[in-house]
Amino acid sequence: KPIDQAQFVALLQETIAQVQEAQQRKQRAGLNVRDAQKKVLLDLVKYGFQEISMEERLKRLNIWTLFGDYCVGVMVLKDVHLLAPMSDTVSFTRMNHRIESMIDNCSSRMLQQDYVWAECATGEYLFVALGERTALKTLLNEIQETVKRELCVPAMVGVSDHCTGCHNMFYGYQEARSLALHTHSSTRRQAAPDLDLPGMLAEFENNFEELFRNNAVGELNRTLSFVYDFLFSSYRTDQRAVEAFRQMYESVCDYLATAFPHLQPAFEFPPVPCDSIARMEPFLKKLQSEIKRLESKQNEQRINEICEAVRTLVQRDCASVTLQSAAQDVNISYTYLSIIFKEQTGENFKDYMTRVRMENAARLLGTDKKVYEIAQEVGYSDIKYFSRLFKGFSGSTPNEYREKNYEK
């Protein structure tokens, strides 16, 4: 039938807008569900051993069946603690988004069974997958290789044995993380935690001793939180647990006082005797805050040392140093070095290296060397490209600069 063309176009545009809005709502709903799934996954890591029911939340989020017979995987980026203070920067956020995209792409392509993953700490990624351990191990190896290949960021991975029931999720995570970091297994998930308190306390003490030996300051807060939550959930007034936690607390203080005497760490100690684990919480919070301060200072010093070493390399041999060779020399990935150097100096590595080369070239123009020889000496085989860079740096061509500053 005859129709009004303008009215038809308007109706068509309105229909398209409605379809797009419906798609966006569906997409937002999917994202909200995934976010909620990740949230409950992290809650299971922290609270799964406590006497609380997760069943309703897991069923509502459609992942209750995931915890029938499953494995837990962990991927930890190597040396990520150096970037922890920079986790809110644009460079780090961009890198993290790329890693998350790699994880999504690899997971959807390789895992046929149900799975959920979440970033559970800066640079640490947690996976739960239904079914075979081999499939999850293969996936983590693929993600590990992809991150290394595309970002040059090394990572460590670990996969637990089979777990059953959401209450074992926490122990699967501890096992997988220990395998990823090649550390002593912290807890035995096969044993119910409320059946062998002395054995669990001995495991905790072993964990702290290993952290002290490895100077793993960044792990202290995580381990302290875990031990406190575990003991608070079932043994909050048990004097064996209270006394053991107090001793662990003091051993951490002793270690920090020895490791950071120049930073003069400040501690407050729980009262003796103490009748409940809960009475120690405010002291624990203050200790954890002090640990963060000390770790931040330690990382800051390490970053300063790295950047100073890189600057020295460039000053010594600006012609041949690259971001990759400098990163190899200071033993971190070039992606990390790029982020650290920019955040620490306010200048990206390429700009810094170019500036040093141009400064050296300006100095060499005071000698009788030819311009093409100077260009080669500071790292450029193309004299036209060198001349263009030098003019951008000094406002003059090399010959003009020589005439202006040296030929008088």
Side-chain angles (χ1 to χ4, degrees), residues 86-295:
M86 303 170 188
S87 59
D88 59 346
T89 63
V90 173
S91 298
F92 183 88
T93 302
R94 187 183 297 119
M95 181 189 76
N96 204 45
H97 284 167
R98 288 190 64 187
I99 291 174
E100 290 178 351
S101 178
M102 292 173 196
I103 292 173
D104 280 333
N105 290 338
C106 291
S107 299
S108 59
R109 176 167 50 85
M110 297 182 64
L111 275 187
Q112 303 301 316
Q113 62 267 48
D114 291 338
Y115 69 91
V116 181
W117 73 269
E119 184 182 16
C120 56
T122 302
E124 181 177 323
Y125 305 88
L126 170 69
F127 301 77
V128 176
L130 190 66
E132 289 299 317
R133 181 177 187 270
T134 305
L136 182 55
K137 178 67 173 173
T138 302
L139 169 66
L140 290 187
N141 287 339
E142 175 67 18
I143 297 171
Q144 179 186 39
E145 289 301 316
T146 303
V147 171
K148 179 68 181 296
R149 182 177 63 252
E150 297 190 15
L151 295 178
C152 198
V153 173
M156 302 161 287
V157 299
V159 178
S160 73
D161 286 331
H162 284 269
C163 305
T164 303
C166 65
H167 60 284
N168 275 320
M169 162 73 195
F170 175 82
Y171 302 101
Y173 162 70
Q174 289 293 317
E175 181 183 356
R177 193 170 190 280
S178 294
L179 290 170
L181 299 177
H182 308 294
T183 60
H184 179 71
S185 180
S186 58
T187 53
R188 304 174 66 85
R189 65 174 176 79
Q190 297 87 349
D194 57 347
L195 297 181
D196 182 20
L197 178 60
M200 296 296 290
L201 294 176
E203 286 288 333
F204 296 152
E205 290 173 1
N206 289 338
N207 285 349
F208 280 116
E209 289 174 3
E210 183 161 1
L211 294 179
F212 300 158
R213 284 194 300 272
N214 296 330
N215 291 319
V217 181
E219 292 300 307
L220 288 176
N221 272 344
R222 183 195 302 269
T223 306
L224 281 166
S225 292
F226 158 52
V227 175
Y228 177 85
D229 288 341
F230 173 78
L231 296 178
F232 180 83
S233 66
S234 303
Y235 301 100
R236 68 188 68 177
T237 59
D238 188 306
Q239 281 305 302
R240 295 173 300 172
V242 173
E243 178 59 21
F245 186 74
R246 187 184 63 77
Q247 290 179 1
M248 292 177 209
Y249 180 102
E250 291 184 357
S251 70
V252 171
C253 294
D254 290 342
Y255 161 73
L256 294 173
T258 302
F260 300 97
H262 55 295
L263 295 178
Q264 298 180 333
F267 309 114
E268 294 184 23
F269 293 93
V272 180
C274 186
D275 60 355
S276 171
I277 290 289
R279 295 282 182 90
M280 297 189 185
E281 183 176 14
F283 297 94
L284 175 62
K285 297 297 183 187
K286 291 178 181 178
L287 175 59
Q288 291 182 313
S289 177
E290 185 67 1
I291 290 172
K292 287 181 180 178
R293 182 184 75 86
L294 297 172
E295 184 188 14

Side-chain angles (χ1 to χ4, degrees), residues 228-360:
Y228 177 85
D229 288 341
F230 173 78
L231 296 178
F232 180 83
S233 66
S234 303
Y235 301 100
R236 68 188 68 177
T237 59
D238 188 306
Q239 281 305 302
R240 295 173 300 172
V242 173
E243 178 59 21
F245 186 74
R246 187 184 63 77
Q247 290 179 1
M248 292 177 209
Y249 180 102
E250 291 184 357
S251 70
V252 171
C253 294
D254 290 342
Y255 161 73
L256 294 173
T258 302
F260 300 97
H262 55 295
L263 295 178
Q264 298 180 333
F267 309 114
E268 294 184 23
F269 293 93
V272 180
C274 186
D275 60 355
S276 171
I277 290 289
R279 295 282 182 90
M280 297 189 185
E281 183 176 14
F283 297 94
L284 175 62
K285 297 297 183 187
K286 291 178 181 178
L287 175 59
Q288 291 182 313
S289 177
E290 185 67 1
I291 290 172
K292 287 181 180 178
R293 182 184 75 86
L294 297 172
E295 184 188 14
S296 177
K297 290 292 185 182
Q298 184 185 54
N299 288 343
E300 183 181 334
Q301 180 179 352
R302 171 65 175 143
I303 289 169
N304 284 336
E305 290 171 353
I306 288 172
C307 292
E308 184 57 35
V310 170
R311 283 192 289 262
T312 300
L313 282 171
V314 175
Q315 292 284 353
R316 189 173 63 226
D317 188 14
C318 67
S320 60
V321 172
T322 64
L323 179 64
Q324 288 81 356
S325 68
Q328 187 175 10
D329 200 82
V330 296
N331 198 31
I332 62 173
S333 79
Y334 70 75
T335 303
Y336 283 1
L337 177 57
S338 178
I339 295 173
I340 288 170
F341 195 87
K342 176 64 181 296
E343 294 300 326
Q344 186 69 13
T345 66
E347 188 175 22
N348 66 46
F349 178 84
K350 183 179 179 181
D351 290 344
Y352 174 74
M353 186 176 67
T354 301
R355 178 167 62 81
V356 171
R357 285 177 170 180
M358 294 302 103
E359 289 171 351
N360 285 346

